[in-house]
Amino acid sequence: MKNIINKIAYQPPGQFEETRYEKIHNVVFDTSDEGSKLVAAEIAALIRKKQANDETCVLGLATGSSPIKVYEELVRMHKEEGLSFANVVTFNLDEYYPMPKESIHSYHYFMHQHLFNHIDIKPENIHIPDGMVPKSKLIEYCIAYDEKIASYGGLDFQLLGIGRTGHIGFNEPGSHINSGTRYVILDPLTRSDAAPGFFGIENVPRAAITMGIRTIMQAKRIVLLAWGNAKAPIVKRTIEGEMTSDVPATYLQKHHNTTFVLDEEASQELTRIKTPWLVKECHWDDELIKKSVIWLSDRTEKSILKLTEKDYNAHSMSGLMAQEGDPYHINIKVFNWVQHTITGWPGGKPGADDTYRPERALPYPKRVLIFSPHPDDDVISMGGTLDRLVEQGHEVHVVYQTSGSIAVADEQALKYARIMKTYQPGNKLLDEIIRDLKTKEKPFEDSLAVRNLKAQIRRQEAIGALTYLGVPLDHIHFLDMPFYETGAIKKKPLSMEDINLVQNIIIQIKPHQIFAAGDLADPHGTHKVCLDAIYKSIDNLKTEHFMKDCRVWLYRGAWHEWDVPQIDMAVPMSPDQVLRKRKAIFYHETQKDGVVFQGNDPREFWVRAEERNHQTAVKYNKLGLADYAAIEAFKRYKF
Ligand code: F6R
């Protein structure tokens, strides 16, 4: 155990060439699961050590999405390994204000749901700021909170997340390094990030009580968790930037026992990860050559074929020239790689030499299986490619993994129910649906009848879009994966039943190509679960004969796009095809005009998709490649 924990044990940052830009010690894991387990192991070891010495262990705890897996692991250790919390005292970082404890939005509720209800901590040892303290008592309440922490000898360990504003706790930009626990106003970005959980930004409280920076900095050990690419820019700013009250997390640069635990995506903007040649001698494999030359072209604002020896030298890439020789050859090599990703034949071009094409010419036609997590990701993310595949004579099947019912607004469902009612005035089910919709207490908690109607609406929208693109009805499949069908935002874990559904459709179609959403940034994590189910199915089936003949392509789209070096297939679209794609997206009417789950980007899905596809085309053009109206991008998944 000790060895494992050593992996995240504190080391002074910036002590090696490679980390010389870094002012905070950090460790990167392949996945957040792995990182979370080690953090939980460190906390458990601390609790046990204190227990052995008959001491109290004082933990500072965070809420939000980042620590959830740490809490899951602590609960598992309690249940399976007898880890006791009898000697543990906890202080939570913050609470919304005003906020009653019982509210499902309170951090009080969150902590009990995820941790306290499942372990043997003494209730009197739990401290969470009270979101209902009268305003007149707030100041003394906050001072008392800090005094209470001090009375236990301070925090032994503080767990943190980081907000995209750079907040820790709710210490938003402008917070003072000496601040204590206090009442604060939330930054608009923080409120917008919290909006999906509150069913709309208008319901997110404007204020909170938070532990201060001083309170946090007095902890003996601090571990900050950051997962996912949305956190990458603020993680870089915090670790490498100057200390400033504009990014309160940078104060942690002054704390001498802080470790940031990151997954690959959150670390991707760090200099040593993004541009390793700037900080160390590199082993130049093809992937790094491609990445660095594309970066150099962007940095110098020159197309690839115009890069010179001087450019390479001035950007720490002389090692690449030492290995590969003249920049002229390197430029041509990389230019060709990128050039060869472009194809107007996403299913392969029959009769053509396919040596340098992303897809094989044969077999032709191909059986193509497009997985779409929600009914609309297919057309939003790869509508142009789908259109071409159909037009080029392939047998295209589209599989909708979830019903997407939760994203249909109540008013929309009511509208359809009322229309049907005019045809069937005596229909009891319709009465029930209308009553359920009108009397519903909690938003996003639908009765089964309402859910079915909403799912049906999305089905018909998807069928409309695909019919427009020429996909026959018997090639449209709806899996309604059970993990999604809870009738609420919170989903069930992925089960064998889900995986079997995905697996069976692969066995049924025996595809030559699978397209799947590798877009992991959707707000409720559904895309990730859907992709996990596909990966597991592929893993189970990989020895089957038909799978040897199958290529898997990952698309992204509604939320973010592949970077150019990651792209293995780029499918250009003409201005007319862009319009056809737009029209196909328009069939998803319930997802237009102030959609229920907008995320942080106020633009409609079709606008975002067009902007992304256009941007990819611009990037290719700037590298010196042909000038297309738009490009859809895919990364190959090798199994
Ligand atoms: C939570 C807290 C916040 C969060 C931060 C990140 O108690 O104080 O600082 O840690 O907003 O939130 P998630 O983890 O949801 O990304």
Side-chain angles (χ1 to χ4, degrees), residues 73 81 124 144 187 195 199 274 283 295 301 338 362 381 433 444 449 457 527 584 606 612:
E73 177 65 4
E81 296 170 12
E124 64 274 23
D187 189 280
F199 320 128
K274 187 171 184 174
H283 166 67
W295 172 86
E301 296 183 12
V338 183
L362 297 173
S381 305
I433 291 175
F444 304 106
I457 294 171
H527 286 210
W606 68 273
R612 294 231 157 85

Side-chain angles (χ1 to χ4, degrees), residues 262-277:
L262 313 171
D263 66 359
E264 266 181 13
E265 296 197 324
S267 74
Q268 72 196 2
E269 290 294 324
L270 292 178
T271 304
R272 105 183 114 98
I273 310 271
K274 187 171 184 174
T275 49
W277 54 91

Side-chain angles (χ1 to χ4, degrees), residues 24 63 127 166 283 295 341 349 520 532 561 619:
I24 297 178
T63 53
H127 305 89
H283 166 67
W295 172 86
T341 63
K349 186 172 185 182
L520 307 183
D532 282 348
E561 186 54 282
K619 285 183 189 162

Side-chain angles (χ1 to χ4, degrees), residues 520-551:
L520 307 183
D522 78 308
H524 305 137
T526 298
H527 286 210
K528 166 121 178 50
V529 182
C530 286
L531 186 62
D532 282 348
I534 296 172
Y535 282 167
K536 290 204 167 105
S537 304
I538 290 176
D539 198 45
N540 292 345
L541 296 173
K542 65 179 181 238
T543 52
E544 296 288 328
H545 183 66
F546 66 88
M547 282 306 280
K548 300 209 166 66
D549 209 16
C550 179
R551 282 197 188 169

